[in-house]
Amino acid sequence: MTSDDTEFQRRRNALASYLAENFPAIDHETLQDIQNNVQWMELRAGDVLMEQGAPGDAAYLTVSGRLRVYVKTDYGASRMVRELGRGEITGEISLYTDAPRSATVVAIRRTVVVRLDKAHFTALVARNPRVSTALTKKIIERLQTQHDRRPLPPPVTVTLLPITDAVDAAGMARRLTQALAQFGRACWVDSSTVASRVAAEVLEDLEAEHDFVLMVADSEPNEWTELCISLSDEVLLLADATQPAAIHPVEQACMVDPPQRSEVAETLVLLHPASTQSPLGMRRWVERRPVTGHVNLRAELDGDIARLARLLSRNAVGLVLAGGGARGFAHLGVWQALDDLGIEIDCVGGTSMGAVMAAAIAADRGIPKTIDVLKQAFKINPTGDYNMLPLISLIKGRRIRAIVERSIASLMGGPVDIVDLWKGYFCIASNYSQGSEMQLHKGDLGRALRASIAIPGALPPVVMDGELFCDGGTFNNFPADVMRNMRGVGKVIGVDLSARRARRLEFDEMPSAWQILFDRLKPRARQRYRVPSLVSYLLNVSVLYSVSRQSESRRQTDLYFNPALFKFGFLQWARFSAIVTQGDAHAREVLGALSLAEKQAWGIREA
């Protein structure tokens, strides 16, 4: 048997496996019939499999490689909607209708697909109607879930490309392979373990046999490195973050300006010494490269390698934190409980006070240190510096700025960019100038936090890039949807601070200002007018739209927390410890009530 015969048989076996997985109700003989009536196609990176608007005349199944699906917007631009990995079907509706293609499908890298045209499908159905029944069921399942978010499939083939000197790419591949083993069959290879004359065949064999294949490229542009990149679903650019951020020759030749530009995702992995407190100054690395994302990690720490493995395999855990003034301290209690029970957090984000707590968690300084820093910082009432002339805001905002900057300095050692955080991070702000929600993934962290918490009317807005920004809660106070769309996140944990119940008022008309003032001079038990303060009222009004989206946001979470905080006011900053304790107790109660299967799925250990 020739090498071509061996390769064809290997691909045919893979096709048989994917057909059996997609159509378990169809008998073996019919599946063989399908295999005999398909056309094999090999695509290069950038090749278009189907064009939106073109006639639909066939369905395709991916045997190896990766495809990206685009749709045209009303403005003529193309928007990526999903990626298709091996074993996935596309274009199947065209076998029943003459409707034009609804999307454009492009090969990200070298990809093998099989094509079943309409004529052969019609003949198959005539011989075995169960083929039509099985495919119709598949189409119905897709239509029922078309509005659900489809997570990006995990990469099967990943290239590790060193772009600075003294990077131990093979050592990284070895440890990353071990970490990936809990998510599937994993292996790694480099140029010394694969003969160049059969490299492509060996790599394709490995891809068929494993869930993850890590390919260690050479630190120079050669045939092996180019082959690795051409076969990659994703490329990890490994850089020693202590070295200059200049573009490396291998990076220039293979990634920045290759002969045929690949659409493969590129993740910049910035490697730091284990002793690094905070990876400051990483913006210089990220801005020079058109990467899909970046990760800061300490290669010597097993926990950081495990985090990269979870991100790669799309099993990362994202924690999203809602805004809520002083009640936001409860986020620290929930985080503490999650950590105690063994749930690792890989990405974190939030709005307003949730954004502040999320940034502290993303700094990765440990729970005791983080809680102590924040407790000391909020000993000063952040909303106590009122404006004598409230033309823009009731509160000057100087105290909150000092608290934010002091906390960042204590946790991270100085001014920090969002890209300097250890864990993936975002915060939500509202762009007043454009009237839109903004997701902040980079830029000065202190300024971003001040923008996210700038309650309209209560705190002054923040100027960024010539535009005004204010509290993110105006648009999205519980941004579970944003976390759900973060690359690599497979599970979302949400901490919502919305009130569980509304308090009824015992009067029909709003009292005058004097009545409220005199009423507040009485003991609390004798007070009649339980109305919010002006600042508290402004804070609540600013998030009313977000509260109306609460059910939708909750559906985006896999694990949901909503601690009972009605005993704590939005501005009761002095009750830090009590609020943290309440968050911790609620989280342990929710986690303790999970079934045994759910606890095992989350990896919860006994406290």
Side-chain angles (χ1 to χ4, degrees):
M1 182 180 289
T2 66
S3 59
D4 287 344
D5 292 335
T6 303
E7 180 180 2
F8 178 74
Q9 187 58 49
R10 180 178 62 249
R11 291 178 173 178
R12 189 177 172 88
N13 291 340
L15 173 60
S17 174
Y18 299 143
L19 286 173
E21 182 180 340
N22 277 283
F23 307 110
I26 298 180
D27 61 83
H28 176 72
E29 187 175 329
T30 302
L31 292 180
Q32 290 278 8
D33 197 3
I34 295 174
Q35 290 186 72
N36 294 332
N37 285 280
V38 297
Q39 175 189 354
W40 290 83
M41 300 173 61
E42 186 165 327
L43 307 172
R44 300 172 302 169
D47 284 353
V48 177
L49 179 64
M50 61 178 72
E51 188 82 41
Q52 184 172 344
D57 57 357
Y60 301 88
L61 185 145
T62 308
V63 178
S64 66
R66 204 172 188 88
L67 301 169
R68 187 168 290 164
V69 182
Y70 297 91
V71 296
K72 291 180 181 177
T73 67
D74 295 337
Y75 305 101
S78 293
R79 176 174 61 90
M80 193 273 281
V81 293
R82 66 178 183 271
E83 289 184 2
L84 302 173
R86 61 187 184 183
E88 295 199 68
I89 300 171
T90 186
E92 65 273 24
I93 294 179
S94 69
L95 298 177
Y96 293 93
T97 72
D98 295 321
R101 298 295 190 189
S102 60
T104 297
V105 181
V106 181
I108 297 175
R109 51 97 158 179
R110 197 163 79 179
T111 300
V112 176
V113 300
V114 292
R115 181 181 189 273
L116 178 63
D117 63 34
K118 195 167 185 176
H120 283 115
F121 174 72
T122 302
L124 276 169
V125 171
R127 292 194 296 271
N128 191 333
R130 280 192 294 180
V131 173
S132 179
T133 302
L135 190 56
T136 301
K137 182 179 178 181
K138 198 78 177 175
I139 292 172
I140 291 173
E141 289 175 356
R142 177 167 295 184
L143 291 174
Q144 288 176 333
T145 59
Q146 65 179 335
H147 297 299
D148 296 345
R149 176 189 175 272
R150 290 170 57 100
L152 293 176
V156 178
T157 52
V158 180
T159 290
L160 279 66
L161 179 65
I163 61 171
T164 58
D165 298 331
V167 170
D168 183 9
M172 170 67 75
R174 187 181 305 111
R175 296 182 61 205
L176 188 54
T177 299
Q178 294 171 350
L180 285 167
Q182 65 173 308
F183 305 115
R185 298 161 298 171
C187 70
W188 72 277
V189 294
D190 61 13
S191 57
S192 67
T193 58
V194 179
S196 59
R197 60 186 178 84
V198 292
E201 290 79 3
V202 170
L203 291 174
E204 196 165 326
D205 278 343
L206 291 173
E207 181 180 356
E209 297 166 1
H210 293 82
D211 299 295
F212 306 99
V213 179
L214 305 185
M215 303 173 292
V216 180
D218 295 334
S219 58
E220 57 186 23
N222 55 26
E223 186 178 351
W224 165 253
T225 296
E226 291 173 1
L227 175 64
C228 289
I229 293 173
S230 72
L231 293 175
S232 289
D233 292 331
E234 189 163 338
V235 175
L236 302 183
L237 305 176
L238 305 183
D240 180 347
T242 64
Q243 295 189 23
I247 299 295
H248 192 277
V250 69
E251 191 180 2
Q252 179 70 43
C254 298
M255 303 305 299
V256 177
D257 190 25
Q260 184 177 19
R261 174 68 178 166
S262 171
E263 293 296 328
V264 65
E266 303 162 21
T267 299
L268 178 61
V269 180
L270 295 166
L271 305 173
H272 305 268
S275 59
T276 305
Q277 174 180 318
S278 297
L280 304 180
M282 294 303 101
R283 188 74 176 268
R284 70 184 189 276
W285 284 93
V286 176
E287 285 190 330
R288 294 188 178 202
R289 295 162 172 84
V291 292
T292 308
H294 82 287
V295 179
N296 290 306
L297 63 84
R298 294 147 290 196
E300 299 172 37
L301 301 187
D302 291 340
D304 282 21
I305 298 296
R307 172 160 51 89
L308 178 59
R310 289 190 293 270
L311 288 166
L312 265 182
S313 62
R314 310 300 187 247
N315 285 288
V317 176
L319 177 64
V320 59
L321 309 178
R327 293 176 177 179
F329 298 145
H331 295 314
L332 299 175
V334 175
W335 174 43
Q336 182 171 255
L338 292 171
D339 186 76
D340 283 350
L341 296 175
I343 298 179
E344 295 284 348
I345 302 301
D346 302 300
C347 301
V348 62
T351 301
S352 198
M353 196 61 176
V356 177
M357 299 297 106
I361 294 171
D364 201 26
R365 294 301 312 281
I367 292 175
K369 171 72 173 178
T370 303
I371 290 181
D372 181 64
V373 166
L374 292 175
K375 184 176 182 179
Q376 293 301 317
F378 281 95
K379 280 187 174 180
I380 300 173
N381 179 359
T383 55
D385 54 337
Y386 292 98
N387 264 318
M388 294 299 292
L389 191 61
L391 298 180
I392 295 294
S393 62
L394 293 172
I395 299 169
K396 294 178 181 178
R398 292 176 183 172
R399 288 189 183 181
I400 195 68
R401 178 171 186 162
I403 287 173
V404 167
E405 292 178 352
R406 191 183 309 121
S407 299
I408 290 174
S410 298
L411 288 172
M412 304 169 225
V416 173
D417 193 285
I418 291 175
V419 302
D420 294 334
L421 294 166
W422 287 115
K423 299 178 186 290
Y425 175 84
F426 71 86
C427 69
I428 302 296
S430 298
N431 187 319
Y432 175 85
S433 300
Q434 297 184 15
S436 62
E437 173 185 331
M438 297 296 293
Q439 301 170 16
L440 304 179
H441 297 272
K442 62 182 180 179
D444 181 78
L445 177 62
R447 188 177 291 267
L449 292 179
R450 288 191 291 112
S452 186
I453 62 179
I455 305 162
L459 287 164
V462 174
V463 180
M464 293 194 295
D465 297 324
E467 297 179 326
L468 284 181
F469 286 77
C470 59
D471 184 55
T474 303
F475 282 98
N476 198 348
N477 195 52
F478 184 40
D481 57 329
V482 180
M483 180 60 74
R484 178 60 72 184
N485 286 311
M486 283 194 74
R487 189 178 187 85
V489 171
K491 296 179 180 178
V492 175
I493 300 174
V495 187
D496 185 10
L497 303 181
S498 298
R500 292 182 175 185
R501 64 185 185 186
R503 185 174 62 193
R504 291 189 59 82
L505 301 176
E506 301 299 329
F507 47 88
D508 298 324
E509 295 288 342
M510 279 298 297
S512 67
W514 286 108
Q515 287 176 303
I516 294 174
L517 175 61
F518 287 129
D519 191 61
R520 288 180 179 175
L521 295 176
K522 300 176 183 178
R524 185 170 178 82
R526 294 175 53 196
Q527 290 178 3
R528 180 185 177 189
Y529 303 116
R530 299 290 182 87
V531 295
S533 68
L534 179 56
V535 175
S536 181
Y537 176 66
L538 289 172
L539 189 152
N540 278 283
V541 168
S542 71
V543 300
L544 284 181
Y545 170 69
S546 294
V547 171
S548 71
R549 299 168 56 188
Q550 182 181 3
S551 296
E552 174 191 343
S553 297
R554 182 174 181 175
R555 283 194 296 270
Q556 298 286 344
T557 66
D558 300 290
L559 190 56
Y560 176 79
F561 298 99
N562 183 211
L565 299 169
F566 53 87
K567 293 182 180 179
F568 304 102
F570 281 93
L571 303 178
Q572 290 187 311
W573 308 104
R575 304 191 69 183
F576 181 96
S577 297
I579 297 173
V580 171
T581 299
Q582 181 69 12
D584 182 280
H586 171 74
R588 293 178 192 276
E589 179 184 350
V590 171
L591 295 171
L594 296 178
S595 67
L596 179 60
E598 289 172 324
K599 289 179 179 178
Q600 291 174 341
W602 282 100
I604 294 175
R605 58 173 179 251
E606 293 299 324

